[in-house]
Amino acid sequence: MADAGDEIPLEQSEAKHTGKKKAPTMRREAQHLKNLALVLKSSKEAMEEARAAVECASSALIELQGAYNAYKLTITRMLEDCKKELQSAMMELRRADKDIAEDRANRKELQDIRKAVIDSFLKYRLISKESSVIGIKMMGYLDEAPFKYDCMRKYGNEGYWKAKASMLLSVWQDELKNPSWRPFKTVEVDGKTQVVVDEGDAKLMQLKDEYGGSVYSVVKVAVTELRDYNMAEGYPVPELWNFGERRKATVVEALNCVLDHLNNK
């Protein structure tokens, strides 16, 4: 029989038995709580890191916003400056257009005056070439004197050379109207491109070989004048001319010459 001191009360026995049964559950709960504590600790650290990252991003965003505002201000000022420059350029362009239009109008007016003076010279025969250095020169028209001279030198017989000179003059005047004959070439003089008579042109060379330099030179002059005045049609064009200085005469020179002529009548 067991001693009374060795007997375990029924309540303690049941409690101990219950404790043994609950121990695994309690250990699991304790482990769960431990794990939960670790998760919470990790979450807290993650939240702190996230908060720091947000603060850093916020600071960077503020700096970026400041840089953007400064850039926007710079661009705005640049656009304003460009707008002012464009407006100024447009004003200059309008003034230039106006000046060009006025210049064209003035040039047209001068051309009309010049044409009126030329027409008056031709219509009323105001001044003859023999009586004044200022008169009308037909640009592109062949001077017959060199043809007579070279034919007289070449053929001698008066009746023959006159007929030959007249025929040669007519042939070359027609040749000047020939649209397929354009004896020009492009050369560079002092860095500038110029169009000049091609002295090596076959027809010009043949003319020079057969009749000499006088006729050759007068044809060169005539074809150059036509190029400048009326190459498309090939017909001579009247021009006010200063025969003394061998250049175009100004309208003022022509009018002064007419006035002098009228005063001396």
Side-chain angles (χ1 to χ4, degrees):
M1 175 180 282
D3 293 338
D6 296 330
E7 292 181 355
I8 299 173
L10 181 62
E11 292 83 0
Q12 292 182 1
S13 177
E14 290 177 352
K16 185 176 181 180
H17 179 72
T18 301
K20 288 181 178 180
K21 289 175 66 177
K22 290 184 177 180
T25 302
M26 293 176 67
R27 281 196 299 272
R28 286 195 300 270
E29 289 178 354
Q31 185 63 43
H32 177 69
L33 290 173
K34 184 178 180 181
N35 292 340
L36 183 59
L38 292 174
V39 170
L40 289 174
K41 182 180 179 182
S42 177
S43 298
K44 183 179 179 181
E45 292 175 352
M47 287 180 64
E48 290 177 353
E49 289 179 0
R51 186 181 294 110
V54 169
E55 291 176 355
C56 182
S58 178
S59 177
L61 183 61
I62 293 172
E63 292 181 3
L64 183 61
Q65 183 67 39
Y68 170 75
N69 291 337
Y71 173 76
K72 184 178 178 181
L73 180 61
T74 301
I75 294 298
T76 301
R77 289 175 178 172
M78 288 176 62
L79 289 175
E80 289 176 353
D81 292 341
C82 289
K83 184 178 179 181
K84 290 178 182 178
E85 291 179 4
L86 182 60
Q87 290 174 340
S88 177
M90 289 296 293
M91 291 178 64
E92 289 293 332
L93 184 60
R94 291 191 187 98
R95 281 196 291 267
D97 286 341
K98 183 179 179 181
D99 292 341
I100 291 173
E102 291 177 352
D103 183 60
R104 286 176 178 171
N106 291 336
R107 279 187 291 165
K108 185 178 184 306
E109 184 177 4
L110 289 174
Q111 289 172 355
D112 291 342
I113 293 172
R114 188 177 189 87
K115 185 177 183 303
V117 173
I118 290 173
D119 290 343
S120 297
F121 266 70
L122 292 172
K123 183 176 181 180
Y124 300 108
R125 299 184 181 276
L126 295 177
I127 303 174
S128 65
K129 179 179 175 180
E130 291 75 15
S131 63
S132 174
V133 294
I134 306 296
I136 297 296
K137 182 180 187 318
M138 299 303 293
M139 309 303 287
Y141 187 79
L142 293 171
D143 185 0
E144 64 180 4
F147 286 85
K148 290 181 177 180
Y149 173 80
D150 283 342
C151 286
M152 179 180 65
R153 179 180 53 80
K154 181 177 178 66
Y155 299 109
N157 182 283
E158 183 174 356
Y160 184 74
W161 71 254
K162 284 185 177 181
K164 191 67 176 177
S166 179
M167 181 185 71
L168 188 63
L169 177 65
S170 178
V171 167
W172 275 97
Q173 197 68 64
D174 289 339
E175 188 65 42
L176 292 176
K177 301 174 187 176
N178 181 4
S180 65
W181 185 63
R182 296 292 181 265
F184 301 109
K185 65 180 180 179
T186 301
V187 297
E188 192 169 297
V189 179
D190 296 331
K192 295 181 179 179
T193 301
Q194 296 182 5
V195 178
V196 298
V197 175
D198 183 4
E199 297 182 355
D201 177 77
K203 291 184 179 180
L204 288 177
M205 291 297 295
Q206 183 179 359
L207 177 67
K208 186 176 183 180
D209 290 341
E210 291 185 10
Y211 293 95
S214 297
V215 169
Y216 167 81
S217 296
V218 80
V219 171
K220 273 183 58 179
V221 170
V223 75
T224 302
E225 291 173 350
L226 280 179
R227 181 200 65 193
D228 296 337
Y229 283 84
N230 190 24
M231 195 77 255
E233 298 179 6
Y235 290 97
V237 177
E239 177 63 280
L240 289 174
W241 197 255
N242 186 319
F243 291 97
E245 299 181 12
R246 296 183 179 182
R247 60 169 175 81
K248 286 171 61 174
T250 65
V251 173
V252 173
E253 285 178 322
L255 294 178
N256 285 335
C257 192
V258 171
L259 289 175
D260 290 342
H261 178 73
L262 293 175
N263 289 332
N264 291 331
K265 275 193 171 184

